[in-house]
Amino acid sequence: MVEPIRIPTRAFSFDNSFARSLEGFYVTWQGAEAPQPRIVLFNDALADKLGLSLDTQDVVLAEILAGSRVAEGSEPIAMAYAGHQFGGFSPQLGDGRALLLGEVLDKDGNRFDIHLKGSGPTPFSRGGDGKAVLGPVLREYIMGEAMHALGIPTTRALAAVTTGEQIRRQGLKPGAVLARVASSHIRVGTFQFFAARGAWDSLTKLADYTITRHYPDLMEKENRYLAFFQAVADRQARLIAQWMQVGFIHGVMNTDNMAISGETIDYGPCAFMDQYDPQTVFSSIDRQGRYAYANQPQAGQWNLARFAETLVPLVAPDDHNRAAEMLTDALSDYMATYKQAWLSGMGRKIGLPAASGRDTALIQILLGTLQGEKIDFTQFFRRLGESLTGEEGKAGLLALFEDPESIASWLAEWHARLAVETRPLETIARDMAQVNPLYIPRNHMVERALQEAEDFGDFRAVQRLLEVVSHPYDEREGLDAFARPAPSDFGPFVTYCGT
């Protein structure tokens, strides 16, 4: 490739530990030339957290964040990985339209990747153009910030940059690049890439680097690779439980989209559920419902089984059967951890911070009622807490039901269970309001905002939506429309991956 033009800038103090430590795990590369890059959204709060002082009006910064120019200290690379996509294994995927610019350390010394998505073709593009269009870039920006505000581990957007070109995706769409931040972009698929080739020395090097970066306390463990798997499985169990508690559906839970750090990564055809239905699917390519809402915990376990397979030679080099047994036992703990995390989170949603196994049936009966009555998931739990504050709140809850009697017996049982609690009802209501969001990225609101940005270059609706979902628990005047489900004429919602 052509030697990149390096732009002197003090905006970033890049480190490149992945490139420095793991030669052979990537291809050095530079993004495509962007005709007219322009920063259209910038995350000031995230930049401040990272200790970055950036001039968003600087044309050079826009070029760097579009991938067209290389900042001083940056060593852009396209990372190699493999992956199971909808159950089928691809031995080579990799960053087909992405670049890792390098890493920065935040004010507390924590390491984060600065990573571009949509910066042009790489040797891993597999015939694609390597570009992204504005809509999916903005969707990922909105979703990542919403998930962060909800307290769910996630990658985040630093900036959205338009490139000044038109990209063909069901017609011509404005090109864009997402500059995103993550604890790292190491995936289950990264391990699969080297395991599939029998490159055990490389896999060991990758595992040690990842443990040092994300799980440093494990380096002194007697069998650090088994402990590593257990720690990754624990984080994934808790992460997916959090998704379930807010009605989030990832849409493409392939092994190349499972981050070893335990963060939500790659917001493609994702969305938040409106009416509660465990079989909800939003992805246009998930025709069999493999990654439907209810299937996400099992999908996570399946992905972890594939991760475990890559670690067999590391866990017990001289006895692979014993290693498989040890990893299988560790994997069995995943579902127990998930169920406990789910119960704990759902318990808090209904005012039971110390929910136990006996409360599982109470929660399951409730969910069955919500499904049968086609009740909005987010709105119900918010109003459930408000129903404890007086007659007006109770009326607001019952108004969600075409047949209020369908929930009457459950409410009676719930109140009887709350009576066992030692806290006043107003305290319970306040605590419920802190875990049940009022505002999520409603699908119809997201689509309207993206359309205005794509069709007219108007980002006001996107910015407004970001302001709202960045404070999901705080009720504010004038935002009633953001708390309501889609109108009846919105129709079935489908999302696309954007490639």
Side-chain angles (χ1 to χ4, degrees):
M1 61 174 294
V2 177
E3 180 66 23
I5 301 173
R6 297 190 178 274
I7 305 296
T9 176
R10 296 183 180 179
F12 299 95
S13 295
F14 279 115
D15 190 23
N16 303 280
S17 71
F18 187 95
R20 184 170 61 248
S21 305
L22 298 171
E23 187 175 353
F25 289 63
Y26 57 84
V27 175
T28 302
W29 206 252
Q30 183 180 346
E33 188 72 25
Q36 194 173 356
R38 181 169 72 94
I39 298 171
V40 293
L41 285 178
F42 188 79
N43 195 331
D44 291 294
L46 179 56
D48 182 66
K49 179 186 184 318
L50 297 174
L52 301 177
S53 179
L54 303 176
D55 179 5
T56 58
Q57 302 303 312
D58 186 351
V59 174
V60 172
L61 178 62
E63 291 176 336
I64 291 169
L65 295 181
S68 295
R69 295 291 180 266
V70 180
E72 188 174 28
S74 172
E75 297 180 11
I77 59 174
M79 301 169 73
Y81 52 84
H84 279 87
Q85 299 189 313
F86 290 90
F89 185 62
S90 296
Q92 179 169 304
L93 296 171
D95 284 336
R97 55 174 181 152
L99 289 176
L100 172 61
L101 298 186
E103 304 134 26
V104 296
L105 301 179
D106 72 4
K107 296 176 180 179
D108 299 319
N110 300 308
R111 183 178 298 272
F112 291 92
D113 286 354
I114 306 292
H115 191 262
L116 304 184
K117 188 173 182 179
S119 52
T122 77
F124 300 116
S125 293
R126 308 186 305 283
D129 62 15
K131 304 295 181 69
V133 297
L134 185 59
V137 163
L138 296 178
R139 177 186 299 280
E140 182 154 350
Y141 196 122
I142 292 166
M143 288 295 176
E145 288 307 288
M147 294 285 271
H148 173 72
L150 290 166
I152 299 174
T154 181
T155 57
R156 298 180 65 187
L158 177 63
V161 183
T162 52
T163 61
E165 59 187 341
Q166 295 289 307
I167 308 298
R168 187 166 297 282
R169 298 286 191 277
Q170 297 178 321
L172 292 176
K173 305 284 186 180
V177 176
L178 180 75
R180 64 181 180 181
V181 173
S183 293
S184 83
H185 287 78
I186 301 170
R187 312 150 187 267
V188 169
T190 315
F191 283 78
Q192 289 182 295
F193 182 89
F194 296 97
R197 289 157 177 77
W200 306 121
D201 289 346
S202 294
L203 196 71
T204 302
K205 186 183 294 187
L206 174 63
D208 286 344
Y209 172 85
T210 308
I211 293 170
T212 301
R213 182 163 175 176
H214 293 300
Y215 305 90
D217 294 344
L218 303 183
M219 285 301 291
E220 302 306 318
K221 292 284 187 179
E222 181 178 354
N223 190 331
R224 63 176 177 268
Y225 303 117
L226 178 62
F228 173 43
F229 176 77
Q230 291 169 323
V232 172
D234 182 85
R235 285 194 188 179
Q236 290 297 332
R238 298 179 189 281
L239 173 66
I240 295 171
Q242 288 182 279
W243 292 357
M244 302 296 282
Q245 288 151 22
V246 296
F248 174 76
I249 301 169
H250 185 282
V252 278
M253 288 181 65
N254 299 324
T255 58
D256 57 302
N257 290 336
M258 177 177 275
I260 299 298
S261 64
E263 294 174 318
T264 312
I265 190 171
D266 284 330
Y267 294 93
C270 64
F272 284 77
M273 182 168 54
D274 288 314
Q275 293 179 356
Y276 179 76
D277 181 350
Q279 299 309 312
T280 300
V281 174
F282 290 119
S283 171
S284 64
I285 57 178
D286 191 3
R287 297 180 180 88
Q288 305 302 317
R290 179 182 177 89
Y291 300 135
Y293 171 79
N295 294 342
Q296 293 184 131
Q298 290 77 18
Q301 186 177 43
W302 193 92
N303 288 349
L304 287 166
R306 308 290 76 75
F307 180 45
E309 290 167 354
T310 72
L311 298 178
V312 166
L314 279 61
V315 168
D318 299 325
D319 190 345
H320 289 187
N321 289 333
R322 177 58 182 152
E325 290 174 2
M326 296 164 70
L327 287 161
T328 299
D329 288 344
L331 182 60
S332 68
D333 292 337
Y334 160 86
M335 194 55 73
T337 301
Y338 166 77
K339 289 179 178 178
Q340 183 55 51
W342 177 88
L343 176 60
S344 178
M346 293 302 295
R348 289 193 297 273
K349 288 179 74 69
I350 62 170
L352 303 175
S356 63
R358 64 177 180 166
D359 297 309
T360 302
L362 183 68
I363 297 168
Q364 295 288 14
I365 291 169
L366 170 61
L367 294 176
T369 302
L370 298 185
Q371 181 181 3
E373 293 296 309
K374 299 181 179 180
I375 305 300
D376 184 82
F377 184 80
T378 302
Q379 198 173 49
F380 171 82
F381 284 103
R382 186 71 180 200
R383 291 198 186 181
L384 183 66
E386 294 170 352
S387 73
L388 300 176
T389 63
E391 290 302 316
E392 184 177 351
K394 183 178 180 180
L397 173 67
L398 296 179
L400 296 177
F401 292 82
E402 186 173 338
D403 177 16
E405 283 300 312
S406 64
I407 194 68
S409 62
W410 185 88
L411 288 174
E413 187 174 352
W414 177 57
H415 278 278
R417 175 65 181 86
L418 291 181
V420 179
E421 298 287 304
T422 58
R423 299 171 300 148
L425 290 181
E426 55 267 27
T427 300
I428 295 174
R430 185 190 65 230
D431 291 346
M432 289 175 66
Q434 292 174 354
V435 297
N436 289 314
L438 180 60
Y439 310 113
I440 58 170
R442 292 282 182 180
N443 300 325
H444 64 295
M445 289 288 194
V446 172
E447 288 306 300
R448 187 187 72 180
L450 299 190
Q451 186 171 9
E452 290 182 7
E454 279 198 330
D455 293 350
F456 307 110
D458 186 345
F459 294 89
R460 289 175 297 178
V462 171
Q463 292 167 333
R464 181 60 165 160
L465 186 56
L466 281 167
E467 291 171 2
V468 173
V469 301
S470 293
H471 302 279
Y473 302 106
D474 305 331
E475 185 171 6
R476 285 157 284 164
E477 290 187 9
L479 300 182
D480 291 352
F482 291 90
R484 290 195 293 265
S488 58
D489 61 355
F490 181 62
F493 184 56
V494 178
T495 57
Y496 302 86
C497 67
T499 54

